[in-house]
Amino acid sequence: MTKRWYLKNLTEAEIQRQKTLAEELKLNPVIAGLLVQRGITAPDEVRKFFKPNLNDLHDPFLMPDMHKAVKRLNKALGNNEKILIYGDYDVDGTTAVSLVYRFLRPYSTMLDYYIPDRYSEGYGISYQGIDYAYNNGFKLIIALDCGIKAIEKVNYANEKGVDVIICDHHMPDDVLPNALAVLDAKRKDSEYPYEHLSGCGVGFKFMQAFAKSNDIPFSKLEGLLELTAVSIASDIVPITGENRILAHYGLRHLNNNPSIGLKGIVKTSGLTGKDITISDIVFKIGPRINASGRMMNGREAVDLLLTRDEQSASEKSANIDQYNEDRKEMDRKITDEANAIIDDFHDIDDHKGIVVYNPEWHKGVIGIVASRLTEKYYRPAVVLTKSTELVTGSARSIIGFDMYKAIESCKDILESFGGHTYAAGLSLKEENLEIFRERFMKIASDELTSEQMTPLIEIDEEVKLSAVNNYLMSDLKRMNPYGPENDKPVFCSYNVYDFGTSRVVGKDGTHLKLDLIDDSIKLPVGAIAFGMSEHAQYIKEGKPFDICYTIEENVYNGTTSIQLMIRDIRPANT
């Protein structure tokens, strides 16, 4: 698939800031340019970026309703009331439940946790969950990573005499649930300085406020930061501001002193002894935690994250590892079936959006399938299946198309919906399916241009290959943790050549192992280009070409070297 390259050129004013930072802080100019692109232009901001500090976390009491929430929690603990910690079945929800439970269990023996069943209850606060709380004598529900739209269900809890504290990070509607407290930095009346916390992050701020109100030292909270790091990475929230601090220290704890449960997941993920990164969480740790809620029930993931027994951790980690293998197999099967449906479209080029439905598809993996379709066809995709009496689905988007807004415009025919710009969920009655399909496809057709439907690679800087060295690699490491709004830098180099030793590799001969030079160096830089063997003949002919790439460390037989991870290749001067 042809890709568009977009090189982020600095303005004259930004170039001057780049020079100032490089001179004042003795920074590599490449790094200074990357910082300026990210809006980090003052020396003090640079220092805070490179050295996140827990002292820079915001006062949790700046969040609306925090005083009310802490007061009610203190009352519940003081009166020895039963407290139900309630959370969604995904990584953010299960880590949030685990974090709050882990912090509160030394102070109460009256805690329990509840994860709704994806299939019988669906996302968020459920009537069954409220009935469980009421029938078992719980006076307080702490809802994590959900609840911001649960107006009717919170009213139902109030009728039952069960108080609800909502800790959410999703976008609220104009009217908030009538809960005892609604903690969400995205509230319109919120003056909290940072609005991009994960659901687990909001739970952490609640516990930080509780600790502060009871003179509990902050050091008691620090071990929980491993869970915030897992949630931040898995929920794909911006790794800026407060999230950067939480992720930085969470990764440090995960690498140096993980809890027994997470240590079990690290082992089954093949990460023992490795320096775990945000990417490792996204692709290895998070999917295993998610698999519990996708294939069985998310409660098992919480059981694992809370365990203090190594044998139990080993057994439960093995279980969720198997769930993940089952999930991958089901994911492959449903993706193939979805592709077959799309193959029957008269002309995919005439479809600016994708809506596919099969009532037999497994609800737990349709979000992953939607992501795969979006990646393959580079179109917003909605994948739908049948769950109980409703059609339910997941949607994923591309740059320039607001999926949440598109689905919201169909709300008159939907039973429920939620999400954000690039990912959303929805449910509707089956008789409304064709109406939804027609409306969604029209929105996509009206809003998307052909150019927008060509994959875009955003490139941070153009560099000569001579700039790719150990000094740059060392400075790039200082910019960790990478993630949304602090993405791993993408570079481009023009007019590079094969050193003469590049070759096709891989079992199916689909990859390229490259040794590259340009006019700035004589010794080659190694690179790997997955799935790009179609360029082999052109490269071997000694013609110049352009590359865009990220810079990685490659460890082989105990030796560490720099390797370019190629994102795209094109003939020079195109």
Side-chain angles (χ1 to χ4, degrees):
M1 183 181 288
T2 302
K3 298 179 175 67
R4 287 180 293 146
W5 293 21
Y6 171 69
L7 178 59
K8 304 174 189 174
N9 291 310
L10 298 178
T11 65
E12 287 298 322
E14 288 172 333
I15 290 171
Q16 188 53 52
R17 292 192 195 103
Q18 176 190 21
K19 290 178 179 176
T20 301
L21 284 182
E23 290 170 3
E24 288 190 16
L25 300 177
K26 295 182 172 54
L27 288 176
N28 183 320
V30 173
I31 298 297
L34 293 171
L35 292 171
V36 170
Q37 284 181 359
R38 286 155 171 72
I40 303 163
T41 58
D44 187 53
E45 292 173 341
V46 173
R47 293 185 188 98
K48 287 186 176 183
F49 181 82
F50 281 140
K51 293 185 177 180
N53 194 316
L54 290 169
N55 292 327
D56 291 328
L57 292 176
H58 303 303
D59 181 354
F61 286 103
L62 294 173
M63 196 175 291
D65 284 0
M66 187 63 82
H67 284 282
K68 288 192 220 174
V70 170
K71 183 178 178 181
R72 181 64 184 89
L73 178 56
N74 281 329
K75 177 185 174 185
L77 293 171
N79 292 340
N80 207 28
E81 295 177 25
K82 294 184 76 174
I83 302 170
L84 187 65
I85 303 169
Y86 189 113
D88 190 21
Y89 39 67
D90 67 3
V91 179
D92 197 13
T94 53
T95 53
V97 167
S98 303
L99 184 149
V100 172
Y101 189 95
R102 268 175 58 180
F103 191 68
L104 292 180
R105 67 181 167 190
Y107 309 105
S108 174
T109 58
M110 305 295 282
L111 302 176
D112 198 1
Y113 46 95
Y114 188 96
I115 305 294
D117 184 84
R118 182 188 290 264
Y119 306 101
S120 63
E121 296 173 74
Y123 167 81
I125 298 174
S126 68
Y127 290 112
Q128 295 98 310
I130 295 166
D131 286 339
Y132 175 87
Y134 174 74
N135 293 332
N136 288 277
F138 290 93
K139 298 294 186 184
L140 175 63
I141 293 174
I142 299 174
L144 295 146
D145 189 37
C146 60
I148 198 64
K149 295 189 176 188
I151 291 174
E152 294 178 359
K153 288 159 186 171
V154 170
N155 287 340
Y156 181 71
N158 291 338
E159 291 168 7
K160 294 281 191 180
V162 179
D163 288 335
V164 180
I165 294 172
I166 292 171
C167 302
D168 206 346
H169 70 127
H170 296 100
M171 189 65 70
D173 289 331
D174 292 336
V175 178
L176 296 175
N178 187 28
L180 186 137
V182 178
L183 306 180
D184 189 332
K186 290 188 175 77
R187 283 175 51 165
K188 289 183 178 178
D189 62 342
S190 176
E191 295 181 0
Y192 191 75
Y194 190 75
E195 69 173 16
H196 301 299
L197 294 166
S198 64
C200 185
V202 178
F204 179 84
K205 298 305 293 188
F206 184 20
M207 294 301 96
Q208 184 187 2
F210 167 75
K212 194 171 182 180
S213 76
N214 289 281
D215 295 322
I216 299 169
F218 186 86
S219 58
K220 298 285 187 182
L221 287 158
E222 289 187 32
L224 304 174
L225 291 174
E226 61 177 15
L227 293 168
T228 66
V230 172
S231 77
I232 287 166
S234 300
D235 219 53
I236 318 180
V237 293
I239 304 187
T240 57
E242 199 162 36
N243 278 345
R244 181 170 174 81
I245 300 170
L246 296 171
H248 173 86
Y249 284 93
L251 282 171
R252 177 184 291 183
H253 198 277
L254 185 58
N255 277 293
N256 296 332
N257 188 28
S259 61
I260 289 172
L262 273 173
K263 189 185 291 185
I265 302 175
V266 166
K267 184 177 180 181
T268 58
S269 302
L271 295 171
T272 302
K274 185 181 181 298
D275 184 25
I276 298 169
T277 65
I278 291 291
S279 181
D280 291 322
I281 295 173
V282 171
F283 293 108
K284 295 186 177 181
I285 294 174
R288 284 171 168 79
I289 297 174
N290 246 338
S292 175
R294 291 186 190 280
M295 306 304 295
M296 295 294 287
N297 184 286
R299 185 178 175 95
E300 189 165 357
V302 179
D303 292 342
L304 170 58
L305 293 172
L306 291 176
T307 189
R308 291 178 277 195
D309 177 76
E310 290 191 2
Q311 180 62 32
S312 174
S314 179
E315 292 170 0
K316 293 181 188 303
S317 295
N319 286 347
I320 68 168
D321 191 52
Q322 184 57 52
Y323 298 154
N324 193 47
E325 290 301 313
D326 296 343
R327 186 273 306 167
K328 287 192 283 189
E329 180 59 35
M330 189 169 291
D331 161 20
R332 282 191 288 269
K333 176 177 179 291
I334 295 175
T335 299
D336 288 343
E337 292 174 358
N339 282 323
I341 293 173
I342 295 168
D343 287 342
D344 287 338
F345 291 177
H346 294 302
D347 189 346
I348 184 63
D349 291 336
D350 293 336
H351 295 72
K352 291 188 177 179
I354 293 170
V355 179
V356 289
Y357 169 62
N358 184 326
E360 301 302 318
W361 285 341
H362 195 285
K363 184 181 176 184
V365 300
I366 56 174
I368 299 171
V369 174
S371 294
R372 300 206 189 288
L373 298 183
T374 298
E375 182 180 350
K376 179 176 180 179
Y377 300 102
Y378 208 70
R379 286 156 170 74
V382 183
V383 180
L384 299 158
T385 187
K386 193 79 176 282
S387 179
T388 60
E389 299 303 311
L390 293 174
V391 171
T392 186
S394 289
R396 298 295 183 268
S397 194
I398 60 175
I399 295 170
F401 186 82
D402 190 329
M403 181 62 80
Y404 180 85
K405 186 178 176 183
I407 289 177
E408 185 182 37
S409 69
C410 303
K411 64 182 179 182
D412 59 303
I413 56 170
L414 301 179
E415 298 303 304
S416 64
F417 70 96
H420 51 78
T421 302
Y422 293 112
L426 67 155
S427 63
L428 66 160
K429 292 177 180 175
E430 195 160 14
E431 59 260 34
N432 290 326
L433 176 57
E434 285 309 311
I435 302 171
F436 170 77
R437 189 196 307 270
E438 289 171 10
R439 279 208 214 168
F440 181 82
M441 295 299 283
K442 185 175 188 311
I443 293 166
S445 179
D446 290 346
E447 293 190 8
L448 284 169
T449 65
S450 297
E451 185 181 49
Q452 285 175 303
M453 294 169 65
T454 302
L456 177 70
I457 299 177
E458 294 188 342
I459 300 168
D460 294 281
E461 294 194 54
E462 175 196 349
V463 298
K464 290 287 190 179
L465 291 181
S466 58
V468 181
N469 53 41
N470 289 326
Y471 298 110
L472 178 60
M473 186 74 244
S474 178
D475 283 338
L476 289 172
K477 284 183 178 180
R478 295 174 67 197
M479 295 185 67
N480 273 311
Y482 289 115
E485 297 189 29
N486 183 44
D487 291 317
K488 183 170 286 189
V490 177
F491 300 97
C492 68
S493 297
Y494 299 142
N495 292 299
V496 304
Y497 293 86
D498 173 26
F499 184 65
T501 51
S502 299
R503 61 195 185 279
V504 172
V505 295
K507 195 178 295 183
D508 302 320
T510 55
H511 314 310
L512 290 175
K513 182 75 176 70
L514 303 169
D515 293 308
L516 304 174
I517 57 171
D518 63 10
D519 60 13
S520 70
I521 59 170
K522 293 182 179 179
L523 293 177
V525 176
I528 186 75
F530 292 111
M532 300 186 198
S533 60
E534 72 271 17
H535 299 287
Q537 184 60 39
Y538 180 91
I539 290 170
K540 294 302 286 183
E541 289 173 0
K543 297 176 182 177
F545 55 98
D546 304 334
I547 55 172
C548 63
Y549 53 89
T550 58
I551 302 173
E552 313 289 345
E553 275 191 337
N554 183 42
V555 180
Y556 182 72
N557 285 340
T559 301
T560 301
S561 61
I562 292 174
Q563 178 174 263
L564 309 185
M565 185 71 69
I566 304 294
R567 297 279 300 276
D568 198 22
I569 297 172
R570 68 183 188 189
N573 303 314
T574 57

